[in-house]
Amino acid sequence: MGRTTIAVNDEVAAKLSEESKKRNITEYSLANQLLETELRLLNSSMDAEDVESSAILSQFVKSMDGLPLPVEIIGELTEYIYKKDKKWLEDVWYNLGKKLGAYVRTYVFDVKELESQAKHIIKFVPIKLVKVDTENEKSLKISLIGAWSFTSLSFCIAQVLKGIVETYGYKLKNLEYGKGFVTVKASI
């Protein structure tokens, strides 16, 4: 088997060297594994950003002991519970928001960065747009637009957002939701 020299910048070379030592394999072997994997993914129409997003989502779901479910099932379940016990549903999803917020804060230190980091998640959920507006240093508005048709699911997502913004020290000022949208306004 022949060898080919591929040039990489010094930072990438250092990371490759460090990672190969951690795994107790040669840099050659690690570089082959990484390139073969990326080429396979490129062949299946995924790019490096998709791979990064998938890895982030996978770690997140695993750390939360999550289970990916179709939005239709989640919508039907939330609709049923919304009619039976709205307060219980509110508490459960709000507490989920607090847990998610604690997790997200380990990666996204400033709530204003949520919009730029949302790109990793919205590829896998029915949320099509995330907009974070900072009206001033002490207030913010988060808007989500999605492809779900359940008002109850919007209610639940609103509770999650409320929990998340509170982990950043904000207090809820206004909450709006309907089929396919959620808007949260909060201030410090």
Side-chain angles (χ1 to χ4, degrees), residues 125-144:
V125 296
I127 296 171
K128 304 304 176 199
L129 174 72
V130 176
K131 185 80 176 135
V132 179
D133 293 315
T134 50
E135 297 162 357
N136 58 50
E137 286 298 312
K138 296 189 178 203
S139 65
L140 68 99
K141 175 181 169 184
I142 300 176
S143 302
L144 302 179

Side-chain angles (χ1 to χ4, degrees), residues 60-93:
F60 172 71
V61 169
K62 189 175 179 179
S63 73
M64 298 296 291
D65 291 326
L67 174 66
L69 290 172
V71 72
E72 200 64 30
I73 291 173
I74 296 170
E76 292 288 343
L77 289 169
T78 59
E79 196 71 19
Y80 179 80
I81 299 167
Y82 186 82
K83 292 173 184 171
K84 301 284 184 187
D85 194 347
K86 185 177 175 182
K87 178 65 177 141
W88 179 86
L89 195 63
E90 178 181 3
D91 292 343
V92 167
W93 285 79

Side-chain angles (χ1 to χ4, degrees), residues 21-77:
K21 287 175 186 167
K22 276 193 235 176
R23 295 171 183 259
N24 199 27
I25 59 175
T26 66
E27 291 176 26
Y28 173 84
S29 178
L30 181 58
N32 272 330
Q33 288 174 21
L34 294 171
L35 289 170
E36 284 174 7
T37 300
E38 181 63 24
L39 290 169
R40 257 193 327 272
L41 292 168
L42 286 172
N43 253 356
S44 69
S45 300
M46 289 185 82
D47 61 21
E49 189 174 298
D50 290 334
V51 172
E52 180 183 15
S53 295
S54 297
I56 289 169
L57 182 65
S58 176
Q59 289 173 337
F60 172 71
V61 169
K62 189 175 179 179
S63 73
M64 298 296 291
D65 291 326
L67 174 66
L69 290 172
V71 72
E72 200 64 30
I73 291 173
I74 296 170
E76 292 288 343
L77 289 169

Side-chain angles (χ1 to χ4, degrees), residues 8 13 33 45 49 60 68 73 82 100 114 126 146 168 172 174 176 178:
V8 297
Q33 288 174 21
S45 300
E49 189 174 298
F60 172 71
I73 291 173
Y82 186 82
L100 289 174
L114 287 175
Y168 284 92
L172 185 71
N174 189 1
E176 296 176 30

